[in-house]
């Protein structure tokens, strides 16, 4: 049980955490993987190499310590992390391992400050946090398993089709090996898939946005090929070069706290690069349901060759009140609705539902920050701006 003394003690360590910074979590991960190398099959090792995951974990720990007496502030962050955990099939016993190495990390990095009282407080605080995640994740697992087509643990799928969508993006359709139905999902959610690429020492688990409307039979993801010399490209290059029709993968049920909520208001879908993938699920769902409200589809990418789903999106204009605007970094083509350079909303602001629309963003962090600031400047309230981030969580 977390006492007031525990809370006060944890909050008193905030300056220590701040002074140490991400070095705490870098040490934590090195320690954990040394003693529990089996977890390398679970964690994204690319994010370890780039520093993204240690930084994200440090920010989460610091936020928890800061708001430990008012956890409601962290509700959205907790739900986002819990959804991500379920796509990795995280289980309660793994929280014990993480907790052990977190406490030992604090002891090793700050032996003088890590007194018996501090240790007791952090053990209690971590126990409370772990209990929150275990309960939420258990509920999510049970909820998905109970739905038509639902399941627990990883389920085997085969590649039913593989289709290039642009110079860099390829779509993969997966069908379950057992021939049964699959659970529905909310447009905007993602699929956690597991592979063991040939030559790799460990399994690779990644999350990819589902890129079409649910159909109870198959799942589709659309994957951008990252640079071959880019650590982030390990999985994407394997999918593009080696995963073919008939090959198998494993998947967890769809997850994610970013999804379309039908408020019967105008909708604006804004994407940069491969961030258009969850928008395809939303658009196709709108078309399937004959969504009556205006839909604005705004997309930015490098050039026409990297513009995925262009023909498909334009083809939906006949079934939706759809306005399409595109920004290319490089183009010599001028036509209605096409602009050169970065996405500048000023040129279309008169047509945007600034006062009552719901805005959905997905793309690189810098892109989303740039666009969000424009929306706020135009007068869009922050609670009507929703976003999805690929990779470790960051605030936009």
């Amino acid at each position: 049980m977390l006492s007031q003394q525990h809370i006060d003690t944890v909050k008193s360590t905030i300056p220590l955490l701040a002074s140490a910074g991400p070095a705490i979590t870098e040490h934590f991960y090195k320690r954990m993987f040394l003693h529990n190398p089996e977890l390398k099959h679970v964690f994204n090792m690319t994010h370890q190499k780039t520093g993204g995951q240690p930084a994200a974990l440090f920010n989460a720990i610091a936020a928890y310590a800061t708001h430990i007496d008012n956890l409601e502030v962290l509700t959205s962050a907790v739900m986002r992390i819990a959804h991500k955990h379920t796509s990795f099939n995280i289980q309660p016993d793994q929280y014990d391992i993480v907790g052990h190495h977190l406490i030992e990390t604090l002891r090793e990095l700050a032996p003088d400050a890590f007194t018996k009282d501090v240790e007791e407080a952090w053990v209690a605080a971590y126990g409370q946090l772990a209990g929150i995640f275990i309960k939420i994740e258990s509920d999510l697992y049970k909820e998905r398993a109970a739905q038509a087509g639902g399941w627990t643990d990883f389920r085997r799928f085969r590649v039913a089709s593989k289709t290039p969508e642009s110079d860099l993006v390829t779509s993969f359709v997966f069908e379950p090996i057992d021939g049964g139905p699959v659970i529905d999902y909310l447009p905007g959610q993602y699929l956690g898939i597991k592979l063991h690429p040939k030559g790799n020492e460990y399994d690779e688990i990644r999350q990819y946005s589902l890129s079409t409307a649910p159909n109870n039979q198959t799942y589709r993801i659309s994957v951008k090929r990252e640079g071959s010399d880019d650590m982030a490209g390990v999985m994407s290059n394997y999918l593009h070069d080696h995963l073919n029709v008939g090959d198998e993968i494993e998947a967890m049920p769809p997850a994610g706290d970013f999804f379309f909520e039908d408020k019967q208001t105008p909708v604006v879908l804004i994407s940069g690069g491969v961030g258009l993938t969850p928008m395809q699920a939303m658009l196709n769902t709108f078309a399937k349901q004959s969504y009556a409200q205006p839909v604005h589809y705004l997309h930015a990418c490098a050039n026409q060759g990297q513009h995925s789903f262009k023909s498909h999106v334009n083809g939906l204009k006949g079934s939706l009140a759809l306005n399409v605007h595109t920004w290319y970094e490089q183009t010599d083509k001028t036509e209605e609705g096409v602009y050169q350079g970065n996405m500048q909303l000023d040129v279309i602001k008169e047509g945007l539902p600034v006062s009552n629309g719901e805005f959905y963003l997905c793309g690189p962090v810098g892109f989303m920050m740039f666009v969000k600031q424009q929306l706020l400047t135009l007068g869009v309230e922050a609670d009507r701006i929703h976003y999805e981030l690929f990779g470790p969580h960051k605030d936009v």
Side-chain angles (χ1 to χ4, degrees):
M1 182 69 179
L2 199 62
S3 68
Q4 186 60 49
Q5 183 176 349
H6 291 148
I7 292 172
D8 293 341
T9 301
V10 167
K11 291 179 78 69
S12 73
T13 64
I14 292 175
L16 175 65
L17 294 175
S19 64
I24 292 176
T25 44
E26 290 172 4
H27 182 90
F28 158 77
Y29 278 117
K30 288 178 182 177
R31 189 184 204 286
M32 183 173 69
F33 292 138
L34 176 65
H35 293 279
N36 293 91
E38 72 278 6
L39 292 181
K40 292 184 178 181
H41 288 289
V42 178
F43 285 83
N44 184 328
M45 299 311 296
T46 294
H47 291 158
Q48 299 299 320
K49 295 174 183 177
T50 62
Q53 189 60 52
L57 178 60
F58 171 77
N59 291 335
I61 291 173
Y64 177 58
T66 302
H67 300 290
I68 193 169
D69 51 353
N70 183 23
L71 294 181
E72 289 186 4
V73 174
L74 303 178
T75 298
S76 62
V78 167
M79 289 304 300
R80 180 171 285 123
I81 294 170
H83 272 272
K84 184 64 70 71
H85 282 178
T86 62
S87 71
F88 284 100
N89 198 27
I90 298 298
Q91 296 298 314
D93 62 318
Q94 292 168 321
Y95 280 96
D96 294 335
I97 296 173
V98 168
H100 168 73
H101 291 295
L102 178 60
I103 296 302
E104 292 306 310
T105 292
L106 294 173
R107 190 198 315 280
E108 291 167 1
L109 292 186
D112 296 332
F114 201 67
T115 63
K116 182 179 179 180
D117 289 344
V118 171
E119 178 178 352
E120 180 183 302
W122 268 101
V123 167
Y126 177 80
Q128 173 182 265
L129 183 61
I132 291 171
F133 276 112
I134 290 170
K135 175 63 168 62
I136 293 172
E137 290 158 19
S138 175
D139 290 345
L140 288 172
Y141 287 134
K142 291 175 182 176
E143 176 187 334
R144 293 166 191 163
Q147 295 181 38
W151 71 93
T152 56
D153 300 324
F154 282 96
R155 183 178 178 185
R156 296 201 69 80
F157 288 74
R158 71 167 58 87
V159 180
S161 69
K162 179 178 181 180
T163 307
E165 306 291 359
S166 66
D167 290 350
L168 295 179
V169 174
T170 294
S171 289
F172 299 83
V173 173
F174 302 122
E175 58 186 10
I177 296 294
D178 57 29
V182 297
I183 188 175
D184 262 353
Y185 54 89
L186 298 169
Q189 290 188 306
Y190 51 76
L191 188 70
I193 71 170
K194 180 169 73 170
L195 281 167
H196 193 111
K198 187 176 180 179
N200 269 39
E201 186 175 0
Y202 302 104
D203 293 339
E204 298 283 354
I205 302 175
R206 297 290 189 276
Q207 295 75 31
Y208 295 105
S209 296
L210 290 148
S211 61
T212 192
N215 60 28
N216 287 127
Q217 298 177 332
T218 61
Y219 293 129
R220 187 181 78 173
I221 63 172
S222 302
V223 181
K224 176 189 175 186
R225 180 195 289 274
E226 303 293 346
S228 59
D229 59 345
D230 187 339
M231 288 184 292
V234 171
M235 187 69 147
S236 70
N237 279 279
Y238 182 83
L239 292 172
H240 278 255
D241 295 336
H242 303 290
L243 191 71
N244 296 308
V245 173
D247 291 341
E248 297 183 9
I249 59 107
E250 293 181 271
M252 290 296 292
D257 68 331
F258 173 78
F259 50 82
F260 171 68
E261 294 184 70
D262 190 353
K263 299 180 180 179
Q264 284 300 304
T265 58
V267 176
V268 184
L269 307 180
I270 306 177
S271 59
V274 76
L276 53 62
T277 51
M279 307 312 180
Q280 302 310 304
M282 295 185 192
L283 272 180
N284 291 347
T285 299
F286 297 160
K288 190 175 179 180
Q289 298 176 351
S290 299
Y291 192 69
Q293 297 292 327
V295 178
H296 302 260
Y297 182 84
L298 282 53
H299 179 62
C301 60
N303 51 55
Q304 294 180 65
Q306 294 185 24
H307 190 170
S308 304
F309 303 107
K310 178 181 178 180
S311 297
H312 174 71
V313 170
N314 286 329
L316 295 177
K317 291 179 180 178
S319 55
L320 293 171
L322 180 62
N323 300 287
V324 178
H325 297 276
T326 306
W327 283 258
Y328 295 127
E329 290 179 19
Q330 310 104 25
T331 183
D332 54 6
K333 186 176 182 180
T334 58
E335 59 182 274
E336 184 178 359
V338 176
Y339 314 92
Q340 184 173 13
N342 295 327
M343 183 178 288
Q344 300 290 344
L345 300 184
D346 272 349
V347 298
I348 60 168
K349 64 181 180 181
E350 300 303 327
L352 293 177
V354 171
S355 62
N356 65 338
E358 295 292 323
F359 294 75
Y360 293 84
L361 278 64
C362 189
V365 175
F367 167 81
M368 290 195 292
M369 293 177 67
F370 177 65
V371 172
K372 181 180 179 181
Q373 186 54 57
Q374 292 184 66
L375 292 174
L376 294 173
T377 300
L378 290 176
V380 179
E381 290 93 344
D383 62 0
R384 290 192 284 116
I385 303 174
H386 320 279
Y387 69 93
E388 174 70 313
L389 181 69
F390 298 152
H393 178 68
K394 297 179 183 178
D395 288 324
V396 171

